């Protein structure tokens, strides 16, 4: 029994020392990051907010498919439901993880990375950790990247803007504009 206790102590002692010697990831400074569409997302200031640009609206109306059928309610997206932004690092860097600091709800957040200039959307490689996640609240959310990257693309669904709804009562139509989700900051952490 005593030999087993000593052996167990040695195993956990070696593992514990190895864990303590692992160097924690370091945060990349904001000066190494650029984002043309939303510079506030990578400026290093948690007080500023970057908002995805939405290009579309939701049209709701009653339509009649055939003359003998009753009218049916139809909902259609005009434009695009997707919004995106692209962040560039100054040089290819091995990123351990990123932290997203949301300022609003973010629907269907998707991350993709690339090493080359993004001339084509097919050059991006998907980040599988929490892909398509809905972010609620304002607490930071961590996404593991664990690869060398030069570009990070964030894609999210636009949100409904119920305050600016337009109605056409004569034709029984309604247009709900879309607005982009808001992010206070995106922090990158590299492996030393």
């Amino acid at each position: 029994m005593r030999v087993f206790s000593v052996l167990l102590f040695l195993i956990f002692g070696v593992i514990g020392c190895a864990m303590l010697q692992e160097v924690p990831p370091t945060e990349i400074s904001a000066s190494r990051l650029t984002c043309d569409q939303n510079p506030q997302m990578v400026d290093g200031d948690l007080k500023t907010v970057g908002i995805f640009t939405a290009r579309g609206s939701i049209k709701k109306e009653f339509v009649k498919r055939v003359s003998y059928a009753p009218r049916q309610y139809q909902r259609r997206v005009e434009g695009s439901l997707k919004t995106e932004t692209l962040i560039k690092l100054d040089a290819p860097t091995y990123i351990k993880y990123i932290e997203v600091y949301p300022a609003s709800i973010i629907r269907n957040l998707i991350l993709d990375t690339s090493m080359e200039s993004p001339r084509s959307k097919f050059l991006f490689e998907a980040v599988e950790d929490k892909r398509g996640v809905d972010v609620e609240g304002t607490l930071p959310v961590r996404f593991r990247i664990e690869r060398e990257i030069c570009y990070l693309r964030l894609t999210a669904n636009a949100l409904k803007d119920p305050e600016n709804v337009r109605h056409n009562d004569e034709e029984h139509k309604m247009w709900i504009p879309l607005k982009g989700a808001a992010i206070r900051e995106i922090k990158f952490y590299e492996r030393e």
Side-chain angles (χ1 to χ4, degrees):
M1 184 71 170
R2 183 178 173 146
V3 173
F4 180 71
S5 300
V6 171
L7 185 61
L8 197 60
F9 176 75
L10 286 174
I11 290 172
F12 283 114
V14 170
I15 291 173
C17 288
M19 289 176 63
L20 289 174
Q21 290 180 356
E22 185 178 319
V23 178
T26 57
E27 183 180 344
I28 292 178
S29 69
S31 62
R32 293 188 52 201
L33 305 169
T34 56
C35 181
D36 295 334
Q37 299 102 333
N38 291 300
Q40 299 89 351
M41 288 185 187
V42 292
D43 64 359
D45 186 3
L46 288 171
K47 294 178 184 172
T48 60
V49 175
I51 299 173
F52 287 94
T53 303
R55 294 180 181 92
S57 63
I58 297 173
K59 182 179 180 181
K60 294 182 177 183
E61 63 184 327
F62 284 103
V63 295
K64 197 172 215 180
R65 301 222 185 258
V66 289
S67 60
Y68 57 85
R71 294 191 313 170
Q72 295 179 338
Y73 186 71
Q74 181 181 29
R75 178 185 177 272
R76 183 177 70 222
V77 175
E78 294 181 337
S80 176
L81 187 62
K82 295 286 183 191
T83 62
E84 73 176 37
T85 193
L86 186 70
I87 299 172
K88 181 183 184 291
L89 283 88
D90 63 345
T93 308
Y94 184 91
I95 301 299
K96 185 77 172 162
Y97 59 87
I98 65 164
E99 288 181 344
V100 176
Y101 291 76
S104 73
I105 294 171
I106 305 173
R107 296 278 181 234
N108 196 28
L109 181 63
I110 297 171
L111 306 176
D112 300 298
T113 64
S114 177
M115 283 295 295
E116 301 176 27
S117 179
R119 288 176 236 109
S120 169
K121 64 180 179 180
F122 301 112
L123 292 176
F124 283 92
E125 183 181 343
V127 176
E128 298 299 331
D129 182 37
K130 298 181 183 175
R131 188 158 180 83
V133 69
D134 289 343
V135 178
E136 310 249 352
T138 56
L139 294 177
V141 180
R142 183 177 289 183
F143 294 93
R144 289 181 297 130
I145 305 294
E146 296 182 350
R147 65 180 83 146
E148 190 172 20
I149 69 169
C150 194
Y151 294 90
L152 175 71
R153 180 177 66 192
L154 289 93
T155 308
N157 286 356
L159 305 170
K160 294 178 187 177
D161 186 5
E163 296 174 3
N164 296 310
V165 175
R166 291 183 318 156
H167 295 274
N168 184 339
D169 293 333
E170 294 173 4
E171 298 179 16
H172 303 287
K173 294 181 182 178
M174 178 190 323
W175 290 270
I176 303 171
L178 296 174
K179 63 181 180 179
I183 294 177
R184 288 183 288 137
E185 194 67 33
I186 300 171
K187 294 185 178 184
F188 288 70
Y189 293 85
E190 68 179 328
R191 181 179 66 186
E192 286 290 324

